[in-house]
mmCIF file of all heavy atoms in Angstrom:
data_model
loop_
_atom_site.group_PDB
_atom_site.id
_atom_site.type_symbol
_atom_site.label_atom_id
_atom_site.label_comp_id
_atom_site.label_asym_id
_atom_site.label_seq_id
_atom_site.Cartn_x
_atom_site.Cartn_y
_atom_site.Cartn_z
ATOM 1 N N ILE A 369 19.196 -14.716 -2.776
ATOM 2 C CA ILE A 369 18.324 -13.554 -2.693
ATOM 3 C C ILE A 369 16.886 -13.971 -3.043
ATOM 4 O O ILE A 369 16.641 -15.091 -3.501
ATOM 5 C CB ILE A 369 18.787 -12.423 -3.618
ATOM 6 C CG1 ILE A 369 18.704 -12.860 -5.092
ATOM 7 C CG2 ILE A 369 20.162 -11.990 -3.235
ATOM 8 C CD1 ILE A 369 18.914 -11.727 -6.059
ATOM 9 N N MET A 370 15.964 -13.041 -2.840
ATOM 10 C CA MET A 370 14.547 -13.426 -2.927
ATOM 11 C C MET A 370 13.755 -12.527 -3.885
ATOM 12 O O MET A 370 12.521 -12.524 -3.854
ATOM 13 C CB MET A 370 13.910 -13.374 -1.536
ATOM 14 C CG MET A 370 14.632 -14.263 -0.529
ATOM 15 S SD MET A 370 13.962 -14.092 1.117
ATOM 16 C CE MET A 370 12.346 -14.821 0.923
ATOM 17 N N THR A 371 14.413 -11.746 -4.715
ATOM 18 C CA THR A 371 13.725 -10.879 -5.650
ATOM 19 C C THR A 371 14.148 -11.190 -7.064
ATOM 20 O O THR A 371 15.336 -11.425 -7.343
ATOM 21 C CB THR A 371 13.979 -9.392 -5.353
ATOM 22 O OG1 THR A 371 15.384 -9.170 -5.343
ATOM 23 C CG2 THR A 371 13.386 -9.001 -4.025
ATOM 24 N N GLU A 372 13.187 -11.158 -7.993
ATOM 25 C CA GLU A 372 13.511 -11.323 -9.398
ATOM 26 C C GLU A 372 13.978 -10.006 -10.022
ATOM 27 O O GLU A 372 14.643 -9.996 -11.037
ATOM 28 C CB GLU A 372 12.297 -11.854 -10.168
ATOM 29 C CG GLU A 372 11.926 -13.259 -9.798
ATOM 30 C CD GLU A 372 10.921 -13.879 -10.729
ATOM 31 O OE1 GLU A 372 10.677 -13.330 -11.815
ATOM 32 O OE2 GLU A 372 10.341 -14.910 -10.359
ATOM 33 N N ILE A 373 13.582 -8.866 -9.404
ATOM 34 C CA ILE A 373 14.021 -7.563 -9.827
ATOM 35 C C ILE A 373 14.977 -7.016 -8.798
ATOM 36 O O ILE A 373 14.712 -7.095 -7.591
ATOM 37 C CB ILE A 373 12.819 -6.630 -9.977
ATOM 38 C CG1 ILE A 373 11.732 -7.237 -10.847
ATOM 39 C CG2 ILE A 373 13.259 -5.248 -10.527
ATOM 40 C CD1 ILE A 373 12.126 -7.532 -12.277
ATOM 41 N N CYS A 374 16.102 -6.464 -9.230
ATOM 42 C CA CYS A 374 17.054 -5.811 -8.334
ATOM 43 C C CYS A 374 17.353 -4.447 -8.928
ATOM 44 O O CYS A 374 17.124 -4.185 -10.118
ATOM 45 C CB CYS A 374 18.325 -6.614 -8.183
ATOM 46 S SG CYS A 374 18.131 -8.237 -7.452
ATOM 47 N N GLN A 375 17.865 -3.557 -8.074
ATOM 48 C CA GLN A 375 18.294 -2.233 -8.508
ATOM 49 C C GLN A 375 19.711 -1.951 -8.034
ATOM 50 O O GLN A 375 20.129 -2.452 -6.983
ATOM 51 C CB GLN A 375 17.359 -1.163 -7.948
ATOM 52 C CG GLN A 375 15.914 -1.282 -8.398
ATOM 53 C CD GLN A 375 15.636 -0.526 -9.656
ATOM 54 O OE1 GLN A 375 15.408 0.657 -9.658
ATOM 55 N NE2 GLN A 375 15.706 -1.230 -10.774
ATOM 56 N N LEU A 376 20.439 -1.172 -8.829
ATOM 57 C CA LEU A 376 21.800 -0.774 -8.444
ATOM 58 C C LEU A 376 21.805 0.742 -8.397
ATOM 59 O O LEU A 376 21.822 1.394 -9.441
ATOM 60 C CB LEU A 376 22.827 -1.297 -9.441
ATOM 61 C CG LEU A 376 24.293 -1.119 -9.030
ATOM 62 C CD1 LEU A 376 24.632 -2.087 -7.863
ATOM 63 C CD2 LEU A 376 25.239 -1.342 -10.179
ATOM 64 N N ARG A 377 21.819 1.307 -7.193
ATOM 65 C CA ARG A 377 21.798 2.758 -7.023
ATOM 66 C C ARG A 377 22.644 3.112 -5.804
ATOM 67 O O ARG A 377 22.805 2.318 -4.883
ATOM 68 C CB ARG A 377 20.344 3.237 -6.783
ATOM 69 C CG ARG A 377 19.393 2.913 -7.921
ATOM 70 C CD ARG A 377 19.688 3.739 -9.181
ATOM 71 N NE ARG A 377 19.432 5.162 -8.943
ATOM 72 C CZ ARG A 377 18.226 5.732 -9.075
ATOM 73 N NH1 ARG A 377 17.172 5.000 -9.397
ATOM 74 N NH2 ARG A 377 18.102 7.023 -8.891
ATOM 75 N N ASP A 378 23.178 4.327 -5.831
ATOM 76 C CA ASP A 378 24.037 4.791 -4.731
ATOM 77 C C ASP A 378 23.145 5.308 -3.591
ATOM 78 O O ASP A 378 22.758 6.464 -3.553
ATOM 79 C CB ASP A 378 24.968 5.893 -5.241
ATOM 80 C CG ASP A 378 25.993 6.321 -4.158
ATOM 81 O OD1 ASP A 378 25.948 5.746 -3.053
ATOM 82 O OD2 ASP A 378 26.761 7.245 -4.441
ATOM 83 N N ILE A 379 22.800 4.437 -2.680
ATOM 84 C CA ILE A 379 21.879 4.741 -1.599
ATOM 85 C C ILE A 379 22.459 5.765 -0.626
ATOM 86 O O ILE A 379 21.804 6.748 -0.236
ATOM 87 C CB ILE A 379 21.464 3.476 -0.846
ATOM 88 C CG1 ILE A 379 20.631 2.570 -1.759
ATOM 89 C CG2 ILE A 379 20.681 3.812 0.426
ATOM 90 C CD1 ILE A 379 19.309 3.138 -2.191
ATOM 91 N N ASP A 380 23.709 5.553 -0.207
ATOM 92 C CA ASP A 380 24.279 6.402 0.850
ATOM 93 C C ASP A 380 25.148 7.531 0.332
ATOM 94 O O ASP A 380 25.758 8.268 1.098
ATOM 95 C CB ASP A 380 25.089 5.555 1.835
ATOM 96 C CG ASP A 380 26.175 4.732 1.142
ATOM 97 O OD1 ASP A 380 26.271 4.783 -0.114
ATOM 98 O OD2 ASP A 380 26.936 4.024 1.842
ATOM 99 N N GLY A 381 25.203 7.717 -0.974
ATOM 100 C CA GLY A 381 25.919 8.843 -1.554
ATOM 101 C C GLY A 381 27.413 8.827 -1.421
ATOM 102 O O GLY A 381 28.063 9.883 -1.467
ATOM 103 N N ASP A 382 27.979 7.619 -1.308
ATOM 104 C CA ASP A 382 29.444 7.544 -1.159
ATOM 105 C C ASP A 382 30.149 7.312 -2.481
ATOM 106 O O ASP A 382 31.382 7.108 -2.504
ATOM 107 C CB ASP A 382 29.812 6.439 -0.159
ATOM 108 C CG ASP A 382 29.490 5.037 -0.676
ATOM 109 O OD1 ASP A 382 28.795 4.923 -1.722
ATOM 110 O OD2 ASP A 382 29.913 4.039 -0.051
ATOM 111 N N GLY A 383 29.427 7.326 -3.594
ATOM 112 C CA GLY A 383 30.030 7.130 -4.891
ATOM 113 C C GLY A 383 30.020 5.709 -5.392
ATOM 114 O O GLY A 383 30.305 5.448 -6.545
ATOM 115 N N MET A 384 29.737 4.756 -4.513
ATOM 116 C CA MET A 384 29.670 3.344 -4.890
ATOM 117 C C MET A 384 28.202 2.934 -4.996
ATOM 118 O O MET A 384 27.468 3.026 -3.986
ATOM 119 C CB MET A 384 30.365 2.470 -3.866
ATOM 120 C CG MET A 384 30.187 0.946 -4.073
ATOM 121 S SD MET A 384 30.912 0.342 -5.602
ATOM 122 C CE MET A 384 32.676 0.401 -5.178
ATOM 123 N N PRO A 385 27.714 2.527 -6.136
ATOM 124 C CA PRO A 385 26.319 2.070 -6.215
ATOM 125 C C PRO A 385 26.112 0.823 -5.377
ATOM 126 O O PRO A 385 26.992 -0.039 -5.253
ATOM 127 C CB PRO A 385 26.110 1.801 -7.704
ATOM 128 C CG PRO A 385 27.477 1.589 -8.263
ATOM 129 C CD PRO A 385 28.410 2.428 -7.439
ATOM 130 N N ASP A 386 24.932 0.714 -4.808
ATOM 131 C CA ASP A 386 24.582 -0.345 -3.908
ATOM 132 C C ASP A 386 23.502 -1.221 -4.523
ATOM 133 O O ASP A 386 22.666 -0.755 -5.346
ATOM 134 C CB ASP A 386 24.091 0.218 -2.590
ATOM 135 C CG ASP A 386 25.027 1.272 -2.037
ATOM 136 O OD1 ASP A 386 26.188 0.948 -1.745
ATOM 137 O OD2 ASP A 386 24.635 2.437 -1.954
ATOM 138 N N LEU A 387 23.461 -2.497 -4.165
ATOM 139 C CA LEU A 387 22.464 -3.415 -4.691
ATOM 140 C C LEU A 387 21.260 -3.490 -3.778
ATOM 141 O O LEU A 387 21.385 -3.787 -2.582
ATOM 142 C CB LEU A 387 23.078 -4.815 -4.837
ATOM 143 C CG LEU A 387 22.141 -5.867 -5.440
ATOM 144 C CD1 LEU A 387 21.895 -5.562 -6.927
ATOM 145 C CD2 LEU A 387 22.727 -7.284 -5.278
ATOM 146 N N ILE A 388 20.082 -3.166 -4.325
ATOM 147 C CA ILE A 388 18.839 -3.307 -3.580
ATOM 148 C C ILE A 388 18.202 -4.614 -3.959
ATOM 149 O O ILE A 388 17.943 -4.888 -5.131
ATOM 150 C CB ILE A 388 17.898 -2.115 -3.864
ATOM 151 C CG1 ILE A 388 18.530 -0.805 -3.418
ATOM 152 C CG2 ILE A 388 16.569 -2.302 -3.083
ATOM 153 C CD1 ILE A 388 19.341 -0.131 -4.497
ATOM 154 N N THR A 389 17.953 -5.453 -2.966
ATOM 155 C CA THR A 389 17.432 -6.818 -3.215
ATOM 156 C C THR A 389 16.783 -7.328 -1.941
ATOM 157 O O THR A 389 16.683 -6.634 -0.953
ATOM 158 C CB THR A 389 18.554 -7.741 -3.710
ATOM 159 O OG1 THR A 389 18.002 -9.013 -4.071
ATOM 160 C CG2 THR A 389 19.637 -7.972 -2.652
ATOM 161 N N GLY A 390 16.351 -8.571 -1.985
ATOM 162 C CA GLY A 390 15.741 -9.204 -0.792
ATOM 163 C C GLY A 390 16.670 -10.264 -0.236
ATOM 164 O O GLY A 390 17.075 -11.167 -0.950
ATOM 165 N N VAL A 391 17.016 -10.123 1.050
ATOM 166 C CA VAL A 391 17.901 -11.076 1.720
ATOM 167 C C VAL A 391 17.191 -11.585 2.957
ATOM 168 O O VAL A 391 16.840 -10.780 3.856
ATOM 169 C CB VAL A 391 19.245 -10.457 2.084
ATOM 170 C CG1 VAL A 391 20.150 -11.477 2.764
ATOM 171 C CG2 VAL A 391 19.936 -9.881 0.843
ATOM 172 N N GLY A 392 16.915 -12.872 3.062
ATOM 173 C CA GLY A 392 16.313 -13.436 4.236
ATOM 174 C C GLY A 392 14.966 -12.861 4.560
ATOM 175 O O GLY A 392 14.624 -12.674 5.728
ATOM 176 N N GLY A 393 14.153 -12.554 3.574
ATOM 177 C CA GLY A 393 12.829 -11.997 3.801
ATOM 178 C C GLY A 393 12.803 -10.502 4.073
ATOM 179 O O GLY A 393 11.734 -9.935 4.276
ATOM 180 N N VAL A 394 13.969 -9.867 4.047
ATOM 181 C CA VAL A 394 14.078 -8.437 4.325
ATOM 182 C C VAL A 394 14.545 -7.695 3.087
ATOM 183 O O VAL A 394 15.565 -8.059 2.479
ATOM 184 C CB VAL A 394 15.076 -8.167 5.474
ATOM 185 C CG1 VAL A 394 15.285 -6.673 5.702
ATOM 186 C CG2 VAL A 394 14.598 -8.836 6.749
ATOM 187 N N LEU A 395 13.789 -6.688 2.671
ATOM 188 C CA LEU A 395 14.268 -5.814 1.603
ATOM 189 C C LEU A 395 15.513 -5.068 2.116
ATOM 190 O O LEU A 395 15.469 -4.477 3.195
ATOM 191 C CB LEU A 395 13.188 -4.824 1.175
ATOM 192 C CG LEU A 395 13.496 -3.952 -0.061
ATOM 193 C CD1 LEU A 395 13.697 -4.795 -1.284
ATOM 194 C CD2 LEU A 395 12.431 -2.897 -0.255
ATOM 195 N N SER A 396 16.606 -5.171 1.368
ATOM 196 C CA SER A 396 17.890 -4.698 1.878
ATOM 197 C C SER A 396 18.670 -3.960 0.821
ATOM 198 O O SER A 396 18.393 -4.080 -0.399
ATOM 199 C CB SER A 396 18.728 -5.903 2.359
ATOM 200 O OG SER A 396 18.009 -6.732 3.267
ATOM 201 N N TRP A 397 19.691 -3.207 1.258
ATOM 202 C CA TRP A 397 20.669 -2.710 0.322
ATOM 203 C C TRP A 397 22.029 -3.207 0.796
ATOM 204 O O TRP A 397 22.349 -3.275 1.967
ATOM 205 C CB TRP A 397 20.621 -1.192 0.187
ATOM 206 C CG TRP A 397 20.921 -0.361 1.397
ATOM 207 C CD1 TRP A 397 20.072 -0.051 2.420
ATOM 208 C CD2 TRP A 397 22.133 0.305 1.710
ATOM 209 N NE1 TRP A 397 20.663 0.741 3.337
ATOM 210 C CE2 TRP A 397 21.943 0.997 2.933
ATOM 211 C CE3 TRP A 397 23.370 0.452 1.068
ATOM 212 C CZ2 TRP A 397 22.937 1.792 3.521
ATOM 213 C CZ3 TRP A 397 24.385 1.214 1.650
ATOM 214 C CH2 TRP A 397 24.147 1.861 2.861
ATOM 215 N N ALA A 398 22.800 -3.650 -0.178
ATOM 216 C CA ALA A 398 24.122 -4.277 0.108
ATOM 217 C C ALA A 398 25.209 -3.563 -0.648
ATOM 218 O O ALA A 398 24.998 -3.122 -1.803
ATOM 219 C CB ALA A 398 24.089 -5.752 -0.264
ATOM 220 N N THR A 399 26.366 -3.440 -0.032
ATOM 221 C CA THR A 399 27.459 -2.713 -0.661
ATOM 222 C C THR A 399 28.766 -3.453 -0.383
ATOM 223 O O THR A 399 28.890 -4.159 0.612
ATOM 224 C CB THR A 399 27.517 -1.265 -0.069
ATOM 225 O OG1 THR A 399 28.374 -0.487 -0.874
ATOM 226 C CG2 THR A 399 27.972 -1.280 1.385
ATOM 227 N N PRO A 400 29.739 -3.336 -1.292
ATOM 228 C CA PRO A 400 30.993 -4.037 -1.069
ATOM 229 C C PRO A 400 31.702 -3.556 0.174
ATOM 230 O O PRO A 400 31.647 -2.384 0.550
ATOM 231 C CB PRO A 400 31.817 -3.696 -2.323
ATOM 232 C CG PRO A 400 30.827 -3.273 -3.355
ATOM 233 C CD PRO A 400 29.706 -2.650 -2.577
ATOM 234 N N ASP A 401 32.349 -4.464 0.841
ATOM 235 C CA ASP A 401 33.230 -4.141 1.968
ATOM 236 C C ASP A 401 34.519 -3.580 1.364
ATOM 237 O O ASP A 401 35.264 -4.279 0.655
ATOM 238 C CB ASP A 401 33.520 -5.377 2.785
ATOM 239 C CG ASP A 401 34.423 -5.127 4.019
ATOM 240 O OD1 ASP A 401 35.044 -4.064 4.049
ATOM 241 O OD2 ASP A 401 34.500 -6.010 4.858
ATOM 242 N N LYS A 402 34.759 -2.300 1.585
ATOM 243 C CA LYS A 402 35.908 -1.644 0.940
ATOM 244 C C LYS A 402 37.234 -2.318 1.250
ATOM 245 O O LYS A 402 38.181 -2.290 0.428
ATOM 246 C CB LYS A 402 35.967 -0.190 1.304
ATOM 247 C CG LYS A 402 34.790 0.644 0.751
ATOM 248 C CD LYS A 402 34.880 2.103 1.156
ATOM 249 C CE LYS A 402 33.682 2.879 0.626
ATOM 250 N NZ LYS A 402 33.723 4.328 0.984
ATOM 251 N N SER A 403 37.322 -2.945 2.426
ATOM 252 C CA SER A 403 38.572 -3.622 2.776
ATOM 253 C C SER A 403 38.670 -5.018 2.161
ATOM 254 O O SER A 403 39.751 -5.600 2.133
ATOM 255 C CB SER A 403 38.655 -3.736 4.304
ATOM 256 O OG SER A 403 37.623 -4.553 4.813
ATOM 257 N N ASN A 404 37.530 -5.543 1.707
ATOM 258 C CA ASN A 404 37.506 -6.885 1.088
ATOM 259 C C ASN A 404 36.335 -6.991 0.159
ATOM 260 O O ASN A 404 35.341 -7.679 0.415
ATOM 261 C CB ASN A 404 37.387 -7.921 2.241
ATOM 262 C CG ASN A 404 37.423 -9.350 1.709
ATOM 263 O OD1 ASN A 404 37.972 -9.609 0.619
ATOM 264 N ND2 ASN A 404 36.848 -10.273 2.439
ATOM 265 N N PRO A 405 36.397 -6.313 -1.025
ATOM 266 C CA PRO A 405 35.241 -6.221 -1.901
ATOM 267 C C PRO A 405 34.815 -7.570 -2.521
ATOM 268 O O PRO A 405 33.656 -7.698 -2.972
ATOM 269 C CB PRO A 405 35.693 -5.245 -2.994
ATOM 270 C CG PRO A 405 37.184 -5.272 -2.939
ATOM 271 C CD PRO A 405 37.544 -5.535 -1.512
ATOM 272 N N THR A 406 35.687 -8.552 -2.552
ATOM 273 C CA THR A 406 35.309 -9.865 -3.078
ATOM 274 C C THR A 406 34.788 -10.797 -2.000
ATOM 275 O O THR A 406 34.383 -11.920 -2.288
ATOM 276 C CB THR A 406 36.513 -10.537 -3.796
ATOM 277 O OG1 THR A 406 37.555 -10.739 -2.836
ATOM 278 C CG2 THR A 406 36.999 -9.692 -4.938
ATOM 279 N N GLY A 407 34.772 -10.318 -0.749
ATOM 280 C CA GLY A 407 34.217 -11.097 0.328
ATOM 281 C C GLY A 407 32.723 -10.763 0.489
ATOM 282 O O GLY A 407 32.119 -10.068 -0.342
ATOM 283 N N PRO A 408 32.110 -11.260 1.541
ATOM 284 C CA PRO A 408 30.692 -10.970 1.757
ATOM 285 C C PRO A 408 30.421 -9.482 1.846
ATOM 286 O O PRO A 408 31.123 -8.751 2.530
ATOM 287 C CB PRO A 408 30.386 -11.668 3.095
ATOM 288 C CG PRO A 408 31.415 -12.751 3.205
ATOM 289 C CD PRO A 408 32.652 -12.172 2.583
ATOM 290 N N TRP A 409 29.396 -9.038 1.124
ATOM 291 C CA TRP A 409 29.047 -7.619 1.141
ATOM 292 C C TRP A 409 28.331 -7.251 2.409
ATOM 293 O O TRP A 409 27.723 -8.105 3.081
ATOM 294 C CB TRP A 409 28.207 -7.279 -0.094
ATOM 295 C CG TRP A 409 29.004 -7.181 -1.373
ATOM 296 C CD1 TRP A 409 30.298 -7.570 -1.570
ATOM 297 C CD2 TRP A 409 28.549 -6.639 -2.622
ATOM 298 N NE1 TRP A 409 30.703 -7.333 -2.855
ATOM 299 C CE2 TRP A 409 29.640 -6.768 -3.530
ATOM 300 C CE3 TRP A 409 27.356 -6.089 -3.062
ATOM 301 C CZ2 TRP A 409 29.542 -6.318 -4.845
ATOM 302 C CZ3 TRP A 409 27.273 -5.637 -4.372
ATOM 303 C CH2 TRP A 409 28.349 -5.765 -5.262
ATOM 304 N N VAL A 410 28.391 -6.006 2.753
ATOM 305 C CA VAL A 410 27.716 -5.491 3.965
ATOM 306 C C VAL A 410 26.240 -5.257 3.644
ATOM 307 O O VAL A 410 25.897 -4.565 2.675
ATOM 308 C CB VAL A 410 28.377 -4.188 4.434
ATOM 309 C CG1 VAL A 410 27.671 -3.677 5.708
ATOM 310 C CG2 VAL A 410 29.858 -4.390 4.658
ATOM 311 N N VAL A 411 25.365 -5.872 4.442
ATOM 312 C CA VAL A 411 23.920 -5.789 4.203
ATOM 313 C C VAL A 411 23.249 -4.866 5.212
ATOM 314 O O VAL A 411 23.503 -4.955 6.424
ATOM 315 C CB VAL A 411 23.259 -7.189 4.275
ATOM 316 C CG1 VAL A 411 21.774 -7.111 4.065
ATOM 317 C CG2 VAL A 411 23.934 -8.124 3.233
ATOM 318 N N HIS A 412 22.404 -3.972 4.721
ATOM 319 C CA HIS A 412 21.657 -3.024 5.559
ATOM 320 C C HIS A 412 20.163 -3.240 5.344
ATOM 321 O O HIS A 412 19.717 -3.477 4.230
ATOM 322 C CB HIS A 412 22.007 -1.564 5.214
ATOM 323 C CG HIS A 412 23.465 -1.240 5.313
ATOM 324 N ND1 HIS A 412 24.009 -0.711 6.461
ATOM 325 C CD2 HIS A 412 24.449 -1.350 4.404
ATOM 326 C CE1 HIS A 412 25.322 -0.507 6.248
ATOM 327 N NE2 HIS A 412 25.588 -0.875 5.025
ATOM 328 N N LYS A 413 19.381 -3.119 6.403
ATOM 329 C CA LYS A 413 17.938 -3.320 6.317
ATOM 330 C C LYS A 413 17.244 -2.112 5.685
ATOM 331 O O LYS A 413 17.612 -0.969 5.952
ATOM 332 C CB LYS A 413 17.335 -3.511 7.710
ATOM 333 C CG LYS A 413 17.753 -4.764 8.434
ATOM 334 C CD LYS A 413 17.080 -4.794 9.832
ATOM 335 C CE LYS A 413 17.534 -6.027 10.600
ATOM 336 N NZ LYS A 413 16.914 -6.038 11.976
ATOM 337 N N ILE A 414 16.258 -2.398 4.846
ATOM 338 C CA ILE A 414 15.312 -1.396 4.420
ATOM 339 C C ILE A 414 13.959 -1.696 5.055
ATOM 340 O O ILE A 414 13.338 -0.809 5.656
ATOM 341 C CB ILE A 414 15.176 -1.346 2.869
ATOM 342 C CG1 ILE A 414 16.495 -0.857 2.257
ATOM 343 C CG2 ILE A 414 14.012 -0.466 2.458
ATOM 344 C CD1 ILE A 414 16.490 -0.879 0.753
#
Side-chain angles (χ1 to χ4, degrees):
I369 64 169
M370 303 175 69
T371 55
E372 292 192 14
I373 308 298
C374 297
Q375 298 271 277
L376 190 72
R377 300 290 294 273
D378 185 1
I379 293 295
D380 55 358
D382 68 349
M384 172 65 73
D386 311 297
L387 182 68
I388 299 89
T389 186
V391 181
V394 175
L395 186 63
S396 307
W397 63 279
T399 194
D401 181 345
K402 293 180 181 179
S403 65
N404 182 24
T406 61
W409 283 13
V410 181
V411 178
H412 303 267
K413 295 178 182 179
I414 294 176

